[in-house]
Amino acid sequence: PWIALGKTALFGHMGSRYFVVQRAYALLAALRDADAEPPSSLGAAQHAWLDARLAASDARWKVVATSVSMTPMEVDLARPELEAPPLYRRRFCLNVDQWDGFPLKRARLLQRLDAAGGAVLLSGDIHAGFATQHTARTVEFTVPAVSSETLHAMSAEGARADAENARTGMRMVEALPELLQAATPAIRYVQTTRHGVG
């Protein structure tokens, strides 16, 4: 299972939650979602609270603040200009320790937000800035890191740590904004190199 997810060791520089093979993880996520008590980025009490608030609100604008970004962060390394080794020529999730780790739960939550009239999501803690049009009614603004490392710097550090694939990794890092937008057209703006606020 570790190799199918793109891992060759239980622990390494990148850890088990970063740079995961997307198709294999989608299968694992579907299997976990079918459990009697599937894991989620929110607990049952948090889901119930949010559902109750959405149902009771007649506000035209619903704003949901969260420390966990819902924006998908996937990259496709099959693009020829990246010159990736054959085993890397596939789509990866950059980080499944956010809503990418719970894709089916995220889809259901976005449906509930839309059913309530839509929402503006304000998020962070992913070291990059995004503006994402999840659905016709729900958008998200993800603010970049203020003082911690940027996504670009963290990704470059990881790429350099893999000496055998460092050149491919650095090509990916330099093209990261374009790769993220190409993989997820809902992302309307992305920046991975600067600190800041939104």
Side-chain angles (χ1 to χ4, degrees):
W2 283 99
I3 292 172
L5 291 173
K7 302 297 156 186
T8 55
L10 290 179
F11 301 100
H13 179 80
M14 293 299 286
S16 62
R17 62 186 179 163
Y18 299 112
F19 214 67
V20 177
V21 175
Q22 189 275 334
R23 287 181 69 184
Y25 191 81
L27 294 172
L28 176 62
L31 182 64
R32 292 172 70 200
D33 193 67
D35 286 347
E37 292 185 36
S40 175
S41 191
L42 296 177
Q46 291 171 311
H47 274 295
W49 179 88
L50 182 57
D51 287 343
R53 292 291 184 185
L54 289 171
S57 174
D58 62 355
R60 181 179 174 126
W61 290 92
K62 294 170 186 68
V63 179
V64 178
T66 171
S67 64
V68 182
S69 180
M70 291 184 75
T71 296
M73 292 176 52
E74 296 181 6
V75 294
D76 185 356
L77 299 191
R79 295 171 63 141
E81 67 271 20
L82 296 175
E83 300 176 28
L87 287 176
Y88 283 84
R89 292 180 192 160
R90 62 193 76 241
R91 195 172 176 127
F92 289 88
C93 296
L94 286 187
N95 178 1
V96 295
D97 190 28
Q98 58 159 355
W99 277 100
D100 277 347
F102 311 96
L104 300 172
K105 290 269 190 185
R106 173 177 52 203
R108 288 193 290 273
L109 178 55
L110 288 170
Q111 287 173 348
R112 289 200 308 274
L113 292 169
D114 275 6
V120 175
L121 307 172
L122 304 175
S123 65
D125 197 31
I126 203 63
H127 306 264
F130 296 99
T132 308
Q133 180 83 45
H134 287 290
T135 67
R137 296 179 167 195
T138 300
V139 298
E140 178 178 20
F141 296 97
T142 305
V143 296
V146 173
S147 59
S148 49
E149 278 189 301
T150 64
L151 181 60
H152 182 275
M154 292 167 52
S155 300
E157 183 181 329
R160 285 190 291 270
D162 181 3
E164 188 176 331
N165 298 297
R167 285 202 301 240
T168 294
M170 288 310 296
R171 281 191 290 272
M172 181 204 77
V173 170
E174 294 308 319
L176 195 52
E178 178 190 340
L179 291 171
L180 289 165
Q181 280 189 292
T184 306
I187 298 174
R188 304 301 168 90
Y189 169 81
V190 58
Q191 80 78 18
T192 63
T193 60
R194 295 185 309 273
H195 294 90
V197 296

